[in-house]
Amino acid sequence: MGKKFLTTLSALMLAAAMSASMFSLAACGNKDNENEKDPPRQELTDKELEGTVLADWTDGKAKPVFESDGWTNESVFNTQWKADNVKYENGTMKLTITDNPAGSEETNNEYFGGEARTHQYFGYGDFEVCMKPAKKAGTASTFFTCTGNYDTNPNTGKPNPWDEIDIEFLGSDTTEVQFNYYVNGVGNHEYMYDLGFDASEEFHEYGFRWTEDYIVWFVDDEPVYKVEATADSPMPSTAGRILMNYWCGTEEAEGWMGEYSNPGSEGAEYKWVKTSAEVEWGEIPEEVEVEEFEGDWTEIDALAIELEASTNDAETDYTISAGSDGKSADVTWTKAGTYNNVSYGLAENDATEKNWLHMTLKNNSSTETTSARINVRSELGGVTTTTNSYGFGNGELLRTNAGEGTFVDLAPNTTVELEIKYTGVISKVEIMLDSLQSSVITKSGNITISDVKLAKQGEVEIPDVPESNNQGININGEKHIIEGDLGGTFYIINSNEDLNSIDVTYTGIPGASYKNVNITDIKSVAGDKTTLTFTVKNNGTENVTMRADVVGEKAVNANHSVCNISATINGEAAATDAEWGGSTFTLAAGETYTIVVAYDAKYVPSSLQIMLDSSVYNDTATHSGDVTISNITFSGEYVPEEGGEEEEPDEPVVPGESTSIDLANTTVYGGSYTTTTNADNTLDVTYTDVAGNSYQVIELQGIATSLQPKNVFTAKVTNNGTETVNFRLNITANQVGNNASCNVSATQDGTAVRTDTEWGGSFFTIEAGATVTIQVVYDNARTLLAVQFMIDSSVGDATLRSGNVTISEMALALIAE
């Protein structure tokens, strides 16, 4: 789920979807009640929703849907998702809100909330739910489809745009329901529908039909509201998950949600979900069989441990005090950093022929709950990996993520006895304490670690370490040995001299780890060429996402040194990322492909990196595969520019007669920013704690007719703050491929700056106290929509930034091509 960039009620929802199974449903609710009110209706004749059952909670948990756990959507949510807040009782799935003793409104997690989402992603079709929202001020009960840049499209290898379709109930008035949708992050399509009954009193059916040309919403099988696509307002088009969640907002949301307080037994309840949509991608995971440890831990001696902190700098201040017996240790802290940990090693003679770990954690604080993750680290072929299979805390099954460890919350003054099943030969145990976030937080804690014991039950599973025969490959007559992330659970290389190929096999590669095999010192064969060609065959049974980077010694831009210009796969164009580098290809199981990458040799190509199933942004899955790469060749003649000088940027466009944008006649959408339109036609923007990867926007709406006949946007931007501001500007339009921005080029004070023509946007850097003139040339042949500013929200990191900016002298001009 994506996670940190939605800011309005609808925007802040996440979404999910699954495959369908056929069986009959009990009636959702009483459909015979006459409406007590006469809600406004369109004259609609759409046929009833169709679909088969995706999830039914009559008998408890439904496999296509899973519980969100361990994160928050940030502002304006004041809710952290917790699996325990999704309950299966009385033939329903019930989402609840409870106090979070370790949370605060400052960190957007003062409460725990419930969210359920499908494993799979669905496209166009009918979506329907039988639900009963909660009647509680300050809350929202929802059903929606959604995707965003936290999801990666396996067909493109790129983050999805933010597309969403919503059904939302505010607990302050459950006689109304809100319908809404987003297209590539553009929303503001809210419509409040008067139901004529109180939805919180009994179950009813709600749904929508989603097509390329329109969306129509239904209540109890009756179509009640419809929107249709226009040239200026397309419909959502990207497959998403189906989601249901129940949450409360921060003080910032009280104006429209009401104030939340005093969690009780209330919650949003759901009987079933149906859909007619096809699964676009995603799979329902296989269930993991678990067994309990049947031995007696009291009969096993505790091991001596010597605890170490992973760091002792500004990131964290873990202080360790060893127990007098050498078999325990206290850990205290007042702040926690990013995934920092304390750890202890285990001698090989203690760990041999063992597969269960025992450990006791005691929370000595009387007020603070500690969140902990325990990673069992094992050696495999010289590589250390996390090998937890599953774990128990005081006899209760705990959440364990493959490759990430076992999670447990320690309430104040409590002791938890941990039992963790693992594979491999354990070498070290890492314990992350309140550090499962991407920034440093102020958080006090004190725990005691003791009773570390190892035992064996059943067969000890030691994964095989594949053998490698890395003899390299001939490229343009030269022998090159393969390097990179080799061995163990990473890539295994076997060369075939007769076929001049390498076979690459791998097991358990994390999807966003950017592990790679690489060939260094290619300057002699690639430096005077322009084209890379090679053959690749997917020998496995699953699709493989492959990324190929020709890496230069010189930086291409601030983000990368990858020289790739364009690429094809079997003659068809493939995606090349101009912003972050690399060309990405999808390899179908059993198929053979010819890959061609054009690159710019002026950046001095020095290595070739190939990533297999490891370069999909935000992919939390692990992958295995078998790929053969052969016939690597560099060709084409590179002719350096005269004098060896690099290409100068184009001269900035000089606008002709321009027309000012009148803010008095323009709708300004501010999102999480505070915007003020002044009498002198300037726009002030202030913001606090905006995350660098949240992609928040300020949007000038209602100016499409002014944009269309022009093709240059100019403005002055003043940074009134004390820190440098990262400023991104999008002239938005109908989406083409990945790009809903039609920017062509841009300058800052007459100097060319980067414009991303694949994913959109022009990027400016404005020093503290500076005033700059920015200019964007855009393509007016596309259907124009609006102007978007992203201020300190599109940097790509999670750092929180605050600032104050004034935008002035906004104007449009037409420059002949």
Side-chain angles (χ1 to χ4, degrees):
M1 142 132 181
K3 148 183 177 177
K4 291 187 175 180
F5 72 105
L6 312 179
T7 55
T8 65
L9 170 62
S10 303
L12 289 160
M13 308 296 176
L14 300 177
M18 289 311 295
S19 64
S21 59
M22 277 283 244
F23 52 88
S24 61
L25 290 175
C28 175
N30 184 354
K31 302 181 188 177
D32 299 327
N33 290 351
E34 294 295 328
N35 286 353
E36 297 175 2
K37 303 177 183 179
D38 186 18
R41 289 181 180 270
Q42 297 170 303
E43 294 295 327
L44 302 177
T45 59
D46 294 75
K47 65 180 181 179
E48 291 185 2
L49 294 172
E50 298 176 346
T52 53
V53 176
L54 177 65
D56 183 292
W57 291 283
T58 302
D59 297 318
K61 184 176 173 63
K63 290 181 181 180
V65 176
F66 68 100
E67 305 86 2
S68 298
D69 192 53
W71 68 85
T72 175
N73 293 8
E74 294 194 345
S75 180
V76 292
F77 282 73
N78 194 15
T79 310
Q80 177 177 317
W81 307 124
K82 188 173 180 62
D84 290 347
N85 288 67
V86 181
K87 302 182 181 301
Y88 306 99
E89 57 188 30
N90 302 322
T92 70
M93 177 182 71
K94 185 175 182 179
L95 310 181
T96 64
I97 295 174
T98 56
D99 284 310
N100 177 7
S104 69
E105 183 169 327
E106 180 184 3
T107 52
N108 296 103
N109 64 348
E110 189 174 1
Y111 300 94
F112 290 124
E115 179 179 82
R117 52 174 61 197
T118 57
H119 292 282
Q120 294 167 306
Y121 294 72
F122 297 84
Y124 298 123
D126 292 354
F127 299 82
E128 190 172 17
V129 65
C130 176
M131 67 175 290
K132 183 169 65 173
K135 191 179 187 69
K136 175 80 169 178
T139 69
S141 306
T142 72
F143 173 77
F144 59 107
T145 60
C146 184
T147 188
N149 68 353
Y150 43 82
D151 289 327
T152 298
N153 190 318
N155 299 319
T156 66
K158 301 295 182 181
N160 283 339
W162 170 14
D163 281 6
E164 181 175 338
I165 305 173
D166 299 318
I167 295 174
E168 304 161 349
F169 296 88
L170 295 181
S172 55
D173 184 359
T174 49
T175 66
E176 294 182 319
V177 60
Q178 177 178 275
F179 306 135
N180 195 12
Y181 68 97
Y182 284 76
V183 179
N184 197 31
V186 178
N188 296 327
H189 303 113
E190 292 90 349
Y191 178 80
M192 297 300 296
Y193 179 76
D194 190 340
L195 291 165
F197 57 82
D198 189 336
S200 69
E201 293 180 354
E202 57 186 8
F203 286 93
H204 289 264
E205 297 173 12
Y206 309 91
F208 53 86
R209 175 168 292 130
W210 171 27
T211 76
E212 183 178 2
D213 300 318
Y214 67 88
I215 305 169
V216 58
W217 283 265
F218 288 74
V219 175
D220 288 335
D221 291 333
E222 292 293 330
V224 298
Y225 181 62
K226 188 173 187 176
V227 292
E228 297 183 271
T230 66
D232 293 335
S233 183
M235 294 292 99
S237 60
T238 307
R241 297 180 189 266
I242 299 171
L243 276 89
M244 293 144 280
N245 60 26
Y246 180 56
W247 57 279
C248 58
T250 60
E251 184 178 351
E252 179 184 354
E254 288 179 4
W256 45 273
M257 291 186 76
E259 182 179 358
Y260 182 78
S261 62
N262 300 323
S265 60
E266 70 281 338
E269 298 180 70
Y270 302 80
K271 284 189 176 181
W272 49 257
V273 169
K274 292 194 294 185
T275 186
S276 66
E278 296 290 333
V279 176
E280 296 289 336
W281 63 79
E283 296 180 355
I284 302 172
E286 296 289 334
E287 290 187 355
V288 177
E289 293 186 7
V290 300
E291 62 177 358
E292 295 183 2
F293 183 72
E294 297 176 355
D296 186 349
W297 290 111
T298 64
E299 296 181 353
I300 300 174
D301 292 335
L303 300 174
I305 59 172
E306 186 174 343
L307 217 58
E308 296 181 353
S310 60
T311 180
N312 232 348
D313 56 20
E315 287 284 303
T316 183
D317 62 350
Y318 293 133
T319 299
I320 299 168
S321 299
S324 58
D325 60 358
K327 298 182 178 182
S328 64
D330 285 345
V331 184
T332 59
W333 63 97
T334 56
K335 64 174 181 272
T338 303
Y339 300 107
N340 290 316
N341 62 79
V342 294
S343 65
Y344 54 85
L346 292 167
E348 185 176 352
N349 60 328
D350 291 327
T352 302
E353 289 296 307
K354 303 293 195 302
N355 58 4
W356 280 86
L357 165 71
H358 176 280
M359 181 169 52
T360 298
L361 300 181
K362 180 186 177 184
N363 185 356
N364 301 308
S365 171
S366 59
T367 59
E368 297 288 338
T369 295
T370 292
S371 297
R373 182 174 111 187
I374 299 89
N375 306 323
V376 174
R377 305 283 280 167
S378 300
E379 297 286 340
L380 182 62
V383 178
T384 303
T385 57
T386 300
T387 59
N388 304 44
S389 298
Y390 49 85
F392 297 90
N394 290 344
E396 297 292 327
L397 188 66
L398 300 172
R399 175 167 65 98
T400 297
N401 292 352
E404 289 190 352
T406 299
F407 298 75
V408 62
D409 289 333
L410 306 171
N413 293 324
T414 61
T415 299
V416 176
E417 182 182 11
L418 295 169
E419 301 168 287
I420 297 175
K421 173 73 179 297
Y422 62 90
T423 61
V425 178
I426 188 171
S427 58
K428 183 171 70 170
V429 177
E430 296 173 344
I431 308 166
M432 297 177 176
L433 300 166
D434 286 333
S435 62
L436 300 177
Q437 68 279 319
S438 57
S439 59
V440 177
I441 62 171
T442 300
K443 181 76 186 297
S444 298
N446 173 236
I447 71 162
T448 299
I449 301 170
S450 62
D451 296 326
V452 176
K453 304 175 182 181
L454 297 177
K456 174 186 175 182
Q457 179 170 290
E459 294 296 323
V460 175
E461 182 181 348
I462 306 295
D464 293 332
V465 179
E467 295 183 1
S468 181
N469 177 31
N470 183 9
Q471 301 301 314
I473 192 170
N474 280 304
I475 303 175
N476 290 41
E478 293 184 7
K479 190 65 163 290
H480 291 265
I481 302 299
I482 312 303
E483 301 179 10
D485 299 296
L486 307 181
T489 58
F490 298 140
Y491 301 108
I492 304 300
I493 303 296
N494 280 281
S495 303
N496 187 319
E497 293 189 11
D498 293 336
L499 299 177
N500 195 28
S501 67
I502 55 170
D503 193 61
V504 186
T505 57
Y506 51 98
T507 302
I509 290 285
S513 60
Y514 301 94
K515 302 296 182 183
N516 63 80
V517 296
N518 66 65
I519 302 170
T520 59
D521 297 327
I522 64 170
K523 283 192 290 186
S524 60
V525 293
D528 59 350
K529 303 293 191 294
T530 61
T531 305
L532 161 70
T533 305
F534 62 93
T535 301
V536 58
K537 181 182 179 183
N538 180 0
N539 305 306
T541 59
E542 302 291 337
N543 287 0
V544 168
T545 299
M546 181 183 74
R547 171 174 155 180
D549 296 359
V550 180
V551 183
E553 290 185 349
K554 296 182 178 181
V556 175
N557 61 38
N559 298 319
H560 72 89
S561 301
V562 179
C563 311
N564 301 29
I565 299 172
S566 62
T568 62
I569 177 169
N570 283 356
E572 299 289 332
T576 294
D577 190 338
E579 181 179 2
W580 297 100
S583 301
T584 299
F585 314 88
T586 299
L587 313 176
E591 298 297 322
T592 300
Y593 299 91
T594 298
I595 304 296
V596 179
V597 176
Y599 62 91
D600 190 342
K602 74 182 179 187
Y603 297 105
V604 190
S606 58
S607 66
L608 169 61
Q609 292 183 345
I610 298 177
M611 304 178 196
L612 298 169
D613 279 333
S614 67
S615 62
V616 178
Y617 175 76
N618 212 30
D619 179 12
T620 59
T622 56
H623 305 271
S624 301
D626 180 353
V627 170
T628 299
I629 300 170
S630 60
N631 303 318
I632 300 177
T633 305
F634 290 94
S635 62
E637 182 180 2
Y638 170 62
V639 180
E641 295 178 18
E642 187 174 349
E645 295 293 328
E646 294 187 6
E647 181 181 351
E648 293 293 328
D650 294 336
E651 289 295 319
V653 175
V654 180
E657 184 176 351
S658 62
T659 302
S660 295
I661 295 176
D662 185 359
L663 292 177
N665 297 318
T666 302
T667 300
V668 179
Y669 167 72
S672 288
Y673 300 96
T674 299
T675 59
T676 303
T677 302
N678 303 311
D680 60 353
N681 203 38
T682 61
L683 180 66
D684 282 336
V685 182
T686 58
Y687 54 99
T688 303
D689 290 345
V690 167
N693 58 0
S694 61
Y695 301 93
Q696 310 281 357
V697 300
I698 301 157
E699 187 166 275
L700 306 184
Q701 301 172 342
I703 64 170
T705 55
S706 300
L707 286 167
Q708 202 72 55
K710 310 291 186 179
N711 64 359
V712 177
F713 172 91
T714 60
K716 285 188 175 179
V717 183
T718 300
N719 178 0
N720 305 307
T722 59
E723 301 291 337
T724 299
V725 164
N726 298 281
F727 192 96
R728 171 174 164 180
L729 192 153
N730 302 331
I731 308 296
T732 63
N734 60 308
Q735 185 155 335
V736 175
N738 301 320
N739 194 351
S741 170
C742 60
N743 300 30
V744 175
S745 62
T747 62
Q748 177 174 320
D749 289 337
T751 301
V753 297
R754 181 170 66 90
T755 290
D756 187 344
T757 56
E758 181 180 3
W759 293 96
S762 299
F763 298 80
F764 309 87
T765 301
I766 307 171
E767 300 297 329
T771 297
V772 301
T773 298
I774 62 175
Q775 181 185 91
V776 174
V777 180
Y778 59 90
D779 181 2
N780 62 2
R782 291 169 61 181
T783 301
L784 302 177
L785 299 174
V787 177
Q788 285 184 349
F789 307 119
M790 298 182 184
I791 305 178
D792 277 337
S793 70
S794 63
V795 185
D797 61 36
T799 302
L800 299 180
R801 295 173 171 86
S802 302
N804 173 241
V805 168
T806 299
I807 306 171
S808 60
E809 299 183 25
M810 287 181 276
L812 301 169
L814 176 64
I815 302 299
E817 301 202 89

